[in-house]
Amino acid sequence: MRPAAPRTTGPEGAVPVAHGVHWIGALDPGLRSFDVILKTANGTTYNSYLVRGTEGVAVIDTVKAEFAPAFFERLEAVARYDEIRYIVLNHLEPDHTGAVPELIRRAPQAEILLSPRGLPMLRALLGEAFATAQVKPVTTGHAVSLGNRSLAFFNTPYVHWPDTQCTWLPEERVLFTCDLFGSHFCDGRLFEDRVDDFRHAFDNYFDRIMRPFRSFVISALDLIEPLDFAMIAPAHGPILRAAPRDWLARTRALATPRTKAETAEKVLLIFYVSAYGATAQLAQAIHDGAEEEEGVRVSLFDLEGADIGPFLDLIEEADGLAIGTPTINGDAVRTVWDLLARLVDIETRGKMGAAFGSYGWSGEAVRLVETRLQGLKMRLPEPGLRVKLHPSDEELEEGRAFGRRLAQQLTGRAPPREIDFAELAAR
């Protein structure tokens, strides 16, 4: 029977993972926030691996800087520094490269293998030491030998940084995937068939880290799925050895957007917050106008008091998004910013966006929302609609016309157009 809680103390030394492969990482049970964006109730692990062959060893990824002493202690338990032929960097985010500068100082003969897109980050990490380091960019199709073992590389960009790659050890059927298949879940027993249930952490990690890059995740899965792997060794969380293909299937399900209903209709979502009812009136007018256009399904949502999370799937499936906010103290209201902040968790590139709202004095909120939508790579075909105080009958009619134009942009009945930052600044 498993203990009631995860073990937050790690093994004393290196841990055998497969024949000739050891875990030499570190545990961080006290971590409660990762990269600001993700709560980590169970802490995390920084998984590093050492692969031994008849002609030397390779180190795959390292650990966060403050955990370097534990990393070096475990490394020294299974290898000498002069045996290290390769240092493989699957991803150069600081939680994986904190020990790299010191490792290179201790093993200057080692060749650093990384994707070509990682070179600028490695240069920044090493500073002056980059000039004397042994660096070799690798990509899909490249491999190196350790004698009786080899390492092959698969380029998997934007999973979740441009530099990410996977490393394949065919002789032991181990796939080292860095952040892919990772989870922030600290348990010193290390393997998924020994630790407590961490599915919630696995799914949450995908939702907050990988979800904005779903299309790239799917491409990566297509690339590695044909491999005959028996183990997936990620850089965070449990090592997956009991049923690794189940975790690939789970990731593919998470990465596959829900299928939109079999219809040619375009989907326009309108979200708003209204302080005194004026922005709500405008939202209703935009909704009514958009509904006049055939081929567009329009939905209207009042954000006040709503949980934002359930809207994310709807927004990701939608074709267009219009956001309404009053201007209060020269800004959009907090609830609207909360929604905009969560949009980084989904794919918004290329969706149509628009902003509208009522104001009393200066009316900056609409412009601020538009700027944020452009930052999310959405296209803005219509300048935002602003109304001072409560809308008149004429202004409500302009709201309906605004809605019609948005719908026409979605259906292709209007000429393609996109406003830019210069136009925003000039208004």
Side-chain angles (χ1 to χ4, degrees), residues 324-335:
T325 176
T327 297
I328 297 179
N329 295 328
D331 204 347
V333 297
R334 179 175 178 175
T335 305

Side-chain angles (χ1 to χ4, degrees), residues 28 91 129 137 186 205 225-226 285 312 322 326 336 341 405 408:
D28 187 1
H91 172 35
C186 181
Y205 183 92
E225 189 166 17
L312 294 181
V336 165
R405 293 195 299 272
Q408 289 164 2

Side-chain angles (χ1 to χ4, degrees), residues 261-317:
E262 295 296 329
T263 174
E265 284 185 322
K266 297 294 184 179
V267 174
L268 173 63
L269 305 180
I270 303 171
F271 293 94
Y272 72 92
V273 174
S274 190
Y276 295 101
T279 301
Q281 286 181 279
L282 205 54
Q284 187 65 56
I286 294 168
H287 171 274
D288 293 346
E291 275 204 326
E292 294 176 13
E293 294 294 319
E294 292 184 1
V296 179
R297 180 156 49 91
V298 189
S299 297
L300 182 64
F301 301 97
D302 183 350
L303 285 173
E304 187 174 359
D307 290 329
I308 290 171
F311 290 132
L312 294 181
D313 283 330
L314 292 177
I315 294 171
E316 193 162 43
E317 296 164 17

